[in-house]
Amino acid sequence: MSIEPVASINNVGRTAFVGSTSAGQSIHVVDTAAAGPRIISFPNPSATRTYGRELQINDSNRVAAIDTTTVGSARLARLWNSDTPGANTIIARSSIPRLMPSHFDDLGNFASSTNDGRLAFAGLEVPASGEAFWEVYLDDELVDRRDASNTVPEVAQIGDSTPAFFRVKAADGGKVVVANRQDGTTSIRLYSIDGARSSVSIASTGAGFTRLGIRPSISDDGNIVVFTGDRGNGLGVFASVQKSNGSRELVLVAGENATTPRAELGRDRPPGGDGQAQGQPIFFTIDTADMDSSVSVTNPGGGPVAPGDSFIVSFLATPSEASLPDPVTGVTFTANKGLWTTQVYADPSVANPNAIAFTTSVGVPVVQVGDVIGGLTIQTISVSDALATPRVAADGSARVAEPSDHLVAFTAITNGGTILVRAGHYGMTAAELREIMGTNLALADAERFIDAFNRTFLESAITTPKRQAAFLATVGHESAGLTDWTENPTTTRPVGDTVVRNNVVWTVYESDVTSYRIRRPLANGTFATKLITVTGPNFERYDNQQGNGPNEGRFYFGRGPLQITFRNAYAAVGTFLGINLTSNNGWELLSDRANRPDVGIRASGWFWSSYKRSSSIARWGVSLNAVADGVAPTDDAALPNTFVTATTNALKDQAIRPLNSVQAVNAKIARVIQGGYESHLDQRLIRFRRALRSLGLRNN
């Protein structure tokens, strides 16, 4: 069987496509790779019947498609029931010459389906006198060419005095987006036919754009329209977003880099501790040949977009260059054309929490030319209705989708023929985060935090289970399981903790709220002891160092899940986030777990993966991701859950360290986070092991 270059996927992963054999064409669906494709159109393919490539499967498993028969030159718009192969509902007919008064003179060779059971199509009318025109309809029952016979009026009418190139996509609630290229102008317009009929211009080459793609997409709820266009700075991908305040906003999603490239995919060199500046931006370019390719969008939350929401867009694009090599995952992406997804975040504005500042995640490569899938090398990639929000997990079990979750379907020409591929991106769930952090973290808080963590994993390359375990264990320790994001500089140290003073390790053996006692063994078998008294808030210890001026320790002490400290770090993190954290009480955002948890969580991820590259203690490693890569998760299975005591010198020298890799990595991370010394190592190790278990890297 050969596969036509089109595919559509729904929220349970069922994927529809057109396949051809020597007997003819059929519509197929695939539920799982193991089950293979099955025919849902007529069971016996016929050489006299073909199917339009631009079909769509909805979340009720109905497939909208146009079939054409050479007998009578007829076309039919149908909704096929993929749960009952062969069963279908005819929505419109055409014939040449017209065989029945109800028939249209032609049907566009494309169809779109909605989750509420309707099909969108375009029918041609050629009147006895006057110009021919196309009518766009959205209905769930047979539509008659004669308007007076229909219960639902047409959505839109497109004149055909000059050839029109147009496409339609439909959404629930009677929403239809129509893109039309005609008479040197391209326009995209959104129609609403349920209730009070209305329409709104989304984009036009007569109003701000020099070029527009002809295959936009619309989210299932009808609130987001995505498309390709050029405003004079190169082709880009755009989203027209209906916001919860009633207004609509145009958002740049990717591309548009002809004049001032943006670092959409990072930079070709990180900032270095050697004083060299960071490298040039790595950005997307979109080929003119792909301008009319489909872009897709999914809005997991549904409804108008409010502060804190996000949505996902897929598109074809080419990076300006390959990514920096990662020591474990290798080159994340090449410089070849590929299919990408990106998450667009409706971040609350710092100045006005009810307003939205749209930002995008780092692009995620789904597939690129040159990739090898199943032993076949990808040569070209084709997309149609490529995105869905999954309601099932990878193993087929029911799943409540996280905002970052999405399914993708595409076809590709390879060195061994055309293949159909389905892929899925599943973020960490709130329940999984709570399992790692402990039950003191309320589930409601975990649900509020999880999208920011999934966002952070991507943008800070915390993308392997080892890295996530190390990061989450450290975050969990520093923030008491994500329950306390503000340092208390008056806390004393617990019994059993280790304290480094003048490069000598001491152990806490007594502790209360105002003081603690430490000791170290002497050669004669006795102990040297010291009493450490805590006399009140000790913000002063942060004054006059790492950017803090006199009396500034009270502002730039440890905040956020990773307890980011000192003005220099606040400024660097703020630059990354695009938020001023060093004036107007901006520093408080790092610890605002109630209203802006994304700030502290994303800041912690960037600090983890990037800040230490240029810090005064860069000697401890380029990135804590690289430290986490050194974990052998199960090599200490027989050891107790306490840290093996060793001297400071041994802790700093892995070559002579009498510790296994989990302990060694844990100590190194503690050194970097704590500025060169270890603290609470036994508690950190317990969290580290819990995270490894939760992420499937250990079973004890």
Side-chain angles (χ1 to χ4, degrees), residues 536-548:
N538 191 20
F539 295 115
E540 293 83 0
R541 63 177 171 157
Y542 294 141
D543 290 346
N544 303 307
Q545 55 179 314
Q546 297 194 44
N548 283 6

Side-chain angles (χ1 to χ4, degrees), residues 225-237:
V225 175
V226 293
F227 59 94
T228 305
D230 187 343
R231 296 188 292 190
N233 193 26
L235 283 168
V237 177

Side-chain angles (χ1 to χ4, degrees), residues 523-553:
N524 62 7
T526 63
F527 289 89
T529 65
K530 290 181 181 291
L531 173 66
I532 309 298
T533 302
V534 178
T535 59
N538 191 20
F539 295 115
E540 293 83 0
R541 63 177 171 157
Y542 294 141
D543 290 346
N544 303 307
Q545 55 179 314
Q546 297 194 44
N548 283 6
N551 299 316
E552 286 194 334

Side-chain angles (χ1 to χ4, degrees), residues 495-499 505-510 517-520 645:
V495 172
D497 196 11
T498 54
V499 178
V505 176
W506 298 70
T507 302
V508 178
Y509 69 97
E510 290 182 3
R517 292 181 180 273
I518 58 176
R519 67 186 179 184
R520 64 179 177 86
T645 303

